């Protein structure tokens, strides 16, 4: 089973991912961007204010392709529970937002369409929901993706994903204190597995 954690920067998904790692020591814990050189290329692009958004999308896709073949598919084939901190929905939400000013018609559908034939969809996704103001404040605005307006655009696209596939998503109110959020996260995963 593949479970993914999604949310805006500052939503606390990495803390949730760590709590799950302690609770499910036998599972495979992974993340995107990955630690491979593809993931490093992605991080270089994140730090580059002038990166071309379409070029950036394909760096993320290259990292995803490598992640699928090297980590995700082998772990699932072995029957492991796999938990990924960010996955395809991050691309659809974030890159659809960064591409909104580029020459790409319907970026949301476009980014989704390049996943469909090649990716392995998550079985369930925990969405840690925070408002863009809280997200920007918590994440400290260290990169170009963390500004409030941008986060607002990203959140709209996450909402569209949740509306399209309500059965896949578990929405968790991540504006509450961390202990309450972590309780909901572990309860949700306990129910799923
Ligand atoms: P994040 O998980 O927040 O990493 P860290 O905890 O190290 O800051 O991801 C880094 C940034 O990358 C974040 O702003 C979201 C962005 N991102 C995308 O825009 N598209 C993607 O497909 C992924 C995986 C991440």
């Amino acid at each position: 089973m593949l479970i993914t954690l999604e949310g805006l920067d500052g939503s606390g998904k990495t803390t949730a991912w760590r709590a799950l790692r302690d609770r499910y020591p036998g599972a495979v814990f992974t993340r995107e961007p990955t630690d491979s050189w593809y993931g490093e290329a992605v991080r270089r692009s994140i730090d580059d204010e002038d990166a071309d958004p379409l070029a950036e999308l394909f760096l993320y896709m290259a990292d995803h392709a490598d992640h699928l073949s090297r980590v995700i598919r082998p772990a699932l084939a072995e029957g492991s529970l796999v938990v990924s901190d960010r996955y395809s929905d991050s691309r659809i939400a974030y890159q659809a937002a960064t591409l909104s000013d580029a020459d790409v018609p319907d970026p949301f559908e476009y980014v989704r369409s390049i996943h469909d034939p090649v990716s392995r969809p998550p079985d369930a996704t925990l969405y840690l929901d925070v408002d863009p103001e809280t997200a920007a404040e918590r994440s400290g605005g260290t990169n170009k993706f963390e500004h409030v307006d941008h986060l607002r655009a990203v959140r709209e696209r996450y909402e569209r994903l949740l509306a399209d596939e309500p059965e896949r998503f578990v929405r968790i109110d991540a504006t509450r204190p961390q202990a309450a959020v972590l309780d909901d996260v572990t309860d949700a995963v306990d129910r799923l597995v």
Side-chain angles (χ1 to χ4, degrees):
M1 169 175 245
L2 172 60
I3 298 178
T4 60
L5 296 175
E6 293 285 353
L8 299 181
D9 307 81
S11 60
K13 47 179 192 45
T14 305
T15 309
W17 180 82
R18 289 204 194 99
L20 289 172
R21 202 172 51 182
D22 294 341
R23 192 173 177 89
Y24 290 96
V28 172
F29 286 85
T30 185
R31 56 173 303 160
E32 293 187 8
T34 70
D35 296 329
S36 72
W37 72 265
Y38 299 101
E40 278 166 33
V42 166
R43 289 202 183 83
R44 280 179 63 176
S45 187
I46 292 173
D47 289 335
D48 176 1
E49 292 287 333
D50 299 323
D52 177 82
L54 198 53
E56 189 163 81
L57 166 66
F58 286 108
L59 289 178
Y60 278 112
M61 276 310 283
D63 190 37
H64 183 59
D66 175 68
H67 192 207
L68 281 168
S69 62
R70 191 170 45 81
V71 180
I72 302 285
R73 291 194 197 280
L76 292 173
E78 279 179 358
S80 296
L81 168 66
V82 181
V83 181
S84 186
D85 178 1
R86 295 199 184 282
Y87 194 73
S88 45
D89 296 316
S90 282
R91 226 117 39 236
I92 302 169
Y94 280 83
Q95 272 58 59
T98 54
L99 285 167
S100 61
D101 295 330
D103 246 354
V104 178
D106 200 349
F108 184 92
E109 280 313 324
Y110 176 65
V111 179
R112 182 145 74 180
S113 76
I114 60 173
H115 285 82
D116 282 346
V118 296
S119 192
R120 162 54 164 94
D123 297 299
T125 300
L126 310 192
Y127 176 61
L128 273 61
D129 190 15
V130 285
D131 55 278
E133 291 76 15
T134 306
E137 202 183 296
R138 285 190 192 164
S139 61
T142 49
N143 72 46
K144 65 185 171 181
F145 294 112
E146 291 170 0
H147 301 297
V148 173
D149 286 346
H150 181 67
L151 292 175
R152 194 168 293 127
V154 172
R155 192 181 192 218
E156 278 167 20
R157 283 147 184 93
Y158 270 126
E159 286 299 335
R160 201 166 146 188
L161 286 164
L162 268 86
D164 285 356
E165 285 180 85
E167 64 295 339
R168 172 160 67 87
F169 283 93
V170 179
R171 184 196 295 271
I172 293 170
D173 176 359
T175 57
R176 295 168 305 154
Q178 198 171 75
V181 176
L182 293 183
D183 278 352
D184 281 6
V185 166
T186 49
D187 283 355
V189 174
D190 289 352
R191 256 181 287 120
L192 287 162
V193 296

